[in-house]
Amino acid sequence: MSAVPTTSSKGRVLLAYSGGLDTSCILAWLIEQGYEVMCYMANVGQEEDFDAAVVKAKGCGATKIFVEDLQREFVEELIYPAVQANTIYEGVYLLGTSLARPVIARRQMEIAARENCQYVSHGCTGKGNDQVRFELAYYALKPDIKVIAPWRVPAFYERFQGRKDLLAYAAEKNIPVVQTAAKPWSTDENLFHISYEAGILEDPDVTPPKDMWKLTVDPEDAPNTPERITIEFAEGKPTKVINTTNGNKEVTGGLEIFLYLNQLARQNGIGRLDIVENRFIGIKSRGCYETPAGTILRVAHMDLEGLTLDRQVRNLRDQFVTPQYSNVLYNGQYFSPEADFLLASIAASQKTVNGEVRLKLYKGNVIVEGRSSKTNNLYDMEESSMDVHGGFSPIDSEGFIKIQSIRLKKWGLSQKLV
């Protein structure tokens, strides 16, 4: 279903369009193949001149262009459940690229259905994760859709083997190209993060140049005075931020909180990461990431869970739900029965995660300075104290140890360790 149909079976295509060189050339190429092409752009918080991109798409021959603001649903439907689950891939990556794909794909399919498009298309490469993420979403949402993936079509990728070929085609088709110095890496940006890969970064031993990092100030150059904030949570989702350094400024609202935390994290150099990860298709990839607000929220949320979440619930969530949901996101399986099950489990686990966490933001670090909960505090100061009994009899520990040691004694006898 991913091959380009013959000219005799022309149809209407909805192209996921960025306004860049690749998707502009794909737009012209699809028209050249005989398709009517509409363009779709998703605003998920990236810095983009959408008006200029619309003009460009029209100039290239698109019959309609749709620009959709998905920022609020991105934050509330994808980012905050990920915060609740403490999602993470391979112990380090906070899944910024993966998180945005479901909302982008969903709106593309809604428009495709409304506009009677038989095909959808994208500009993802044939070696990356995004082709999988988008297309699995397409097929789950509209099983009869047909996908044109140019970078997997020999007639396309053999013709366009690099930037030089694309530039020549753009000149031939009068596609305007902004002449800027090409940076030796590629990026993908949304409200949650920005990623950097390819080019000089393909050597995993090359240190990223200082001017690569776009979102955050270098931690060494961050303010010498720490910034202190309090984040309030209800059922594991942030509901208020209070900046105690800035006159107790308060921010509420899902999207507004996230934007504000992004601002604070950026100016304090928080959220940088440089890793080598395993792509879903089996190739290792070196990537650098900036995840400002997401880094703050992860630290705060995990800390509050220590105070409010039952031990066994937390163990079950951490052992089963978090790793599975992280893989679901990374592998592009958000629209699936397992994702529905996992999301219901995440919501159930967060009913008691209510309270606030006090944080210090300082030169790339998020430091917890205190936490409290008026409704779901499971911590008993007297019970935990080393100075008072607090209703807990130390002699009870003797029986506990005896029970726990039964199987270990049997094992020790069989092994003759000493």
Side-chain angles (χ1 to χ4, degrees):
M1 295 177 73
S2 295
V4 176
T6 60
T7 307
S8 60
S9 58
K10 300 172 187 177
R12 182 176 293 165
V13 182
L14 181 63
L15 170 66
Y17 183 71
S18 70
L21 178 63
D22 284 32
T23 53
S24 294
C25 287
I26 288 171
L27 168 56
W29 182 79
L30 287 169
I31 293 171
E32 187 179 82
Q33 303 305 303
Y35 299 99
E36 176 191 352
V37 184
M38 298 179 176
C39 287
Y40 156 67
M41 300 185 72
N43 178 1
V44 285
Q46 72 274 36
E47 292 183 9
E48 186 80 61
D49 188 340
F50 292 102
D51 291 338
V54 168
V55 172
K56 189 173 185 178
K58 287 180 179 178
C60 291
T63 57
K64 287 185 180 180
I65 302 98
F66 306 93
V67 179
E68 302 287 315
D69 187 347
L70 308 180
Q71 293 180 90
R72 190 170 295 278
E73 62 192 82
F74 177 34
V75 170
E76 296 177 352
E77 295 182 32
L78 271 298
I79 292 177
Y80 285 162
V83 170
Q84 290 178 302
N86 302 324
T87 51
I88 196 164
Y89 182 72
E90 295 188 337
V92 284
Y93 173 45
L94 297 185
L95 297 159
T97 300
S98 319
L99 280 169
R101 297 322 186 210
V103 292
I104 296 172
R106 182 174 63 193
R107 187 58 57 86
Q108 187 174 3
M109 298 312 298
E110 289 170 354
I111 296 172
R114 187 182 73 214
E115 298 296 325
N116 296 314
C117 297
Q118 298 82 34
Y119 306 94
V120 290
S121 184
H122 59 73
C124 303
T125 72
K127 287 187 177 181
N129 290 317
D130 275 345
Q131 58 179 339
V132 180
R133 293 166 181 154
F134 278 119
E135 292 183 36
L136 290 183
Y138 295 160
Y139 292 134
L141 293 167
K142 198 172 187 298
D144 63 342
I145 196 66
K146 298 174 184 176
V147 179
I148 302 174
W151 286 114
R152 296 202 310 267
V153 177
F156 185 88
Y157 68 70
E158 289 174 0
R159 180 178 179 183
F160 304 108
Q161 297 188 20
R163 183 175 175 84
K164 182 179 178 181
D165 293 334
L166 290 170
L167 286 170
Y169 185 70
E172 175 191 334
K173 295 292 184 178
N174 295 316
I175 298 171
V177 176
V178 179
Q179 294 295 333
T180 58
K183 292 186 176 179
W185 52 77
S186 64
T187 64
D188 180 82
E189 183 182 1
N190 61 49
L191 200 62
F192 191 73
H193 90 154
I194 187 170
S195 65
Y196 309 87
E197 62 181 7
I200 63 171
L201 300 176
E202 289 179 351
D203 182 344
D205 200 31
V206 168
T207 301
K210 187 171 182 174
D211 66 350
M212 181 193 79
W213 304 101
K214 175 184 176 182
L215 301 184
T216 59
V217 65
D218 190 313
E220 294 179 359
D221 301 327
N224 293 322
T225 302
E227 194 148 15
R228 287 180 164 86
I229 63 172
T230 299
I231 303 179
E232 295 184 7
F233 288 87
E235 297 190 356
K237 295 183 179 181
T239 56
K240 182 188 293 185
V241 175
I242 304 170
N243 189 329
T244 54
T245 304
N246 185 18
N248 289 323
K249 176 180 178 179
E250 294 188 5
V251 177
T252 58
L255 176 59
E256 292 75 15
I257 286 172
F258 201 81
L259 289 170
Y260 185 58
L261 289 176
N262 259 341
Q263 174 192 328
L264 297 180
R266 289 182 182 194
Q267 65 195 29
N268 285 285
I270 292 166
R272 294 187 178 186
L273 180 66
D274 180 350
I275 61 171
V276 174
E277 67 194 73
N278 290 293
R279 290 178 179 167
F280 186 31
I281 62 171
I283 299 173
K284 284 190 179 291
S285 171
R286 193 274 186 93
C288 298
Y289 303 96
E290 291 177 278
T291 313
T295 300
I296 292 177
L297 285 170
R298 177 176 174 80
V299 171
H301 177 262
M302 290 182 69
D303 185 81
L304 184 60
E305 284 189 327
L307 186 71
T308 62
L309 194 57
D310 174 78
R311 181 183 72 174
Q312 199 60 16
V313 172
R314 188 173 191 175
N315 285 342
L316 288 169
R317 194 278 314 275
D318 289 350
Q319 291 178 43
F320 301 105
V321 177
T322 294
Q324 291 298 321
Y325 187 58
S326 299
N327 286 335
V328 159
L329 289 171
Y330 191 85
N331 297 338
Q333 296 161 342
Y334 180 81
F335 298 106
S336 66
E338 61 268 31
D340 287 347
F341 169 78
L342 291 166
L343 284 165
S345 300
I346 291 165
S349 76
Q350 296 296 292
K351 291 179 180 178
T352 64
V353 186
N354 305 298
E356 61 182 39
V357 181
R358 295 186 294 105
L359 303 169
K360 177 170 71 174
L361 313 179
Y362 184 65
K363 291 188 177 294
N365 296 290
V366 183
I367 302 163
V368 176
E369 295 194 317
R371 76 287 294 162
S372 63
S373 174
K374 295 179 180 178
T375 58
N376 299 100
N377 185 357
L378 299 181
Y379 178 80
D380 187 319
M381 288 178 62
E382 287 193 357
E383 190 174 67
S384 301
S385 175
M386 297 297 180
D387 297 321
V388 295
H389 289 321
F392 181 86
S393 176
I395 199 170
D396 292 341
S397 295
E398 185 172 344
F400 178 78
I401 293 169
K402 285 181 178 179
I403 295 296
Q404 292 295 317
S405 69
I406 291 173
R407 69 180 183 90
L408 298 179
K409 286 180 178 180
K410 298 292 186 184
W411 178 77
L413 286 170
S414 69
Q415 297 297 309
K416 299 179 181 178
L417 298 174
V418 179

